[in-house]
Amino acid sequence: MTPVYRFPDLGREIGIAELLIKDDGRLPTGSFKDRASAIGVTRAFELGYREIACASTGNAASSLAGMAANLGLKAHIFVPATAPEAKVAQLLIFGADVLLVEGSYDEAYYLCMDAAAEFGWYNRNCAINPYLVEGKKTCGLELGEQLAQDMPEWLAVSVGDGCTIAGIWKGLKEMHRFGVLQRLPRLLGVQSKGANPMSRAFLSGTNRIEKQEAVTLADSIAVGEPRNSVKALTAVRESGGRMIDVSDEAILSAMALLGGRTGVFGEPAGVAALAGIRLAREQGIIEASDRALHVVTGNGLKDVRAAFKAVSQPVRIPVSLDAVREHVARRAAAFS
């Protein structure tokens, strides 16, 4: 049950009636993927497996490694060699067998699939394991409880493989069918411009995905060949929502805006949906009278290199009160 925060002032600054944030960066290993991994390792243990594998851009990997360690399973992890150091550090601390693949996430995915079949490991990979969506839908179930009578008009989620947005939608629909949630929101699926195969498919009115090389600093959504595209596109269309893509510069701006105005620190993919809300408002997709909920899917400490790109650098000074006075005076002059 991660918290939902309300930030009406920030919402008005963006140009909407209210902004709500659900912070899944507070989950055990710091990302939304813990919801799926908790189910995956439990099912593996139940079936008698003692080794489990997945490919990931980072968050699903660290999530699986932590959950596997908790149940005494051995995790075999395939991640691109470009994965952020903090995520690799988590994997190693959790005792995983870490394979840094000198290739893209898509190449790591197929290699992991082959290895799991070769060695008989339980396969936690997204869009292959049918149980994982039951974990991801718990975000929708929670939102049903937290916002039963007060669901905003829009719910924004960053999109890589498509599993997250499809899972959340499944949970929301169940809560609506149960009578807990009065109405369903429209989904805003947000991709990076450097990895936007689903956004392009949505705009063309098709489910056909054109593969691309994923180039974006938002590593958690750096997916050029999404595995759950049909479910994700179906969910967005069924909700009456939209897909949109944003630049890396807009993502970095959203990191600084969210952290500086709310105290919620999100990684690039975790805040991409906020950048999407801003762009959707600018384009008139979201109305000024609408409210929007943004799901922060990962903690900012997952990728501190990106965080440093989003902000100005600290000021180095000697141990001197005069130096502090000079600094304060410069700041006052700059903002006057």
Side-chain angles (χ1 to χ4, degrees):
M1 185 62 78
T2 57
V4 171
Y5 306 120
R6 295 176 183 271
F7 297 107
D9 290 345
L10 181 55
R12 286 190 287 271
E13 182 178 329
I14 293 172
I16 61 177
E18 185 179 35
L19 176 70
L20 293 85
I21 300 292
K22 185 167 176 63
D23 186 10
D24 264 23
R26 291 178 173 269
L27 287 169
T29 74
S31 85
F32 179 97
K33 300 298 178 67
D34 285 345
R35 298 180 182 276
S37 290
I39 298 295
V41 298
T42 302
R43 184 60 174 153
F45 191 88
E46 180 183 44
L47 293 173
Y49 286 87
R50 291 300 176 263
E51 297 183 75
I52 187 169
C54 85
S56 166
T57 56
N59 278 336
S62 55
S63 172
L64 175 62
M67 298 292 176
N70 185 258
L71 283 185
L73 305 184
K74 184 64 176 180
H76 301 279
I77 306 298
F78 295 72
V79 293
T82 55
E85 291 179 356
K87 295 179 181 180
V88 176
Q90 275 190 301
L91 295 170
L92 297 173
I93 285 291
F94 293 145
D97 172 28
V98 182
L99 297 169
L100 297 179
V101 180
E102 295 178 346
S104 67
Y105 162 65
D106 300 301
E107 291 170 318
Y109 180 92
Y110 287 119
L111 182 59
C112 178
M113 292 291 292
D114 291 341
E118 173 79 15
F119 300 106
W121 301 330
Y122 187 78
N123 193 334
R124 181 247 181 259
N125 280 318
C126 65
I128 295 298
N129 189 311
Y131 299 100
L132 302 184
V133 69
E134 300 304 312
K136 295 195 172 189
K137 81 176 184 186
T138 61
C139 182
L141 300 181
E142 289 178 17
L143 288 170
E145 290 189 65
Q146 293 168 310
L147 300 168
Q149 311 299 318
D150 195 31
M151 177 59 69
E153 286 75 19
W154 288 88
L155 190 152
V157 189
S158 59
V159 177
D161 267 312
C163 309
T164 293
I165 196 168
I168 292 174
W169 182 242
K170 182 176 184 180
L172 289 170
K173 284 203 303 179
E174 290 183 2
M175 291 304 261
H176 185 251
R177 189 167 71 246
F178 299 155
V180 177
L181 192 59
Q182 278 196 335
R183 62 181 176 84
L184 291 167
R186 300 170 71 182
L187 297 179
L188 182 69
V190 183
Q191 296 205 285
S192 165
K193 286 186 180 295
N196 64 347
M198 268 192 274
S199 175
R200 288 186 286 113
F202 181 88
L203 291 175
S204 65
T206 181
N207 283 341
R208 187 172 64 84
I209 295 295
E210 293 183 6
K211 294 188 294 184
Q212 68 179 104
E213 180 184 0
V215 182
T216 174
L217 61 80
D219 68 287
S220 293
I221 54 173
V223 180
E225 186 181 353
R227 277 42 187 214
N228 235 356
S229 58
V230 173
K231 282 186 178 179
L233 289 167
T234 299
V236 173
R237 290 179 177 128
E238 190 176 276
S239 76
R242 295 286 294 271
M243 291 284 302
I244 198 169
D245 47 60
V246 295
S247 67
D248 280 0
E249 291 75 21
I251 291 172
L252 290 174
S253 175
M255 284 184 73
L257 177 67
L258 184 66
R261 296 296 304 278
T262 72
V264 176
F265 186 15
E267 67 168 334
V271 304
L274 178 59
I277 291 171
R278 296 173 81 180
L279 181 60
R281 176 67 195 106
E282 291 172 9
Q283 295 181 351
I285 296 169
I286 297 179
E287 301 291 338
S289 58
D290 288 342
R291 296 174 305 140
L293 171 76
H294 167 214
V295 180
V296 177
T297 51
N299 189 284
L301 291 174
K302 294 274 194 172
D303 190 352
V304 293
R305 285 179 294 176
F308 276 116
K309 294 178 182 178
V311 294
S312 59
Q313 298 306 298
V315 176
R316 186 179 294 270
I317 62 169
V319 185
S320 163
L321 184 58
D322 285 340
V324 178
R325 292 191 185 102
E326 291 175 9
H327 169 69
V328 170
R330 283 195 297 269
R331 281 184 59 86
F335 289 102
S336 62

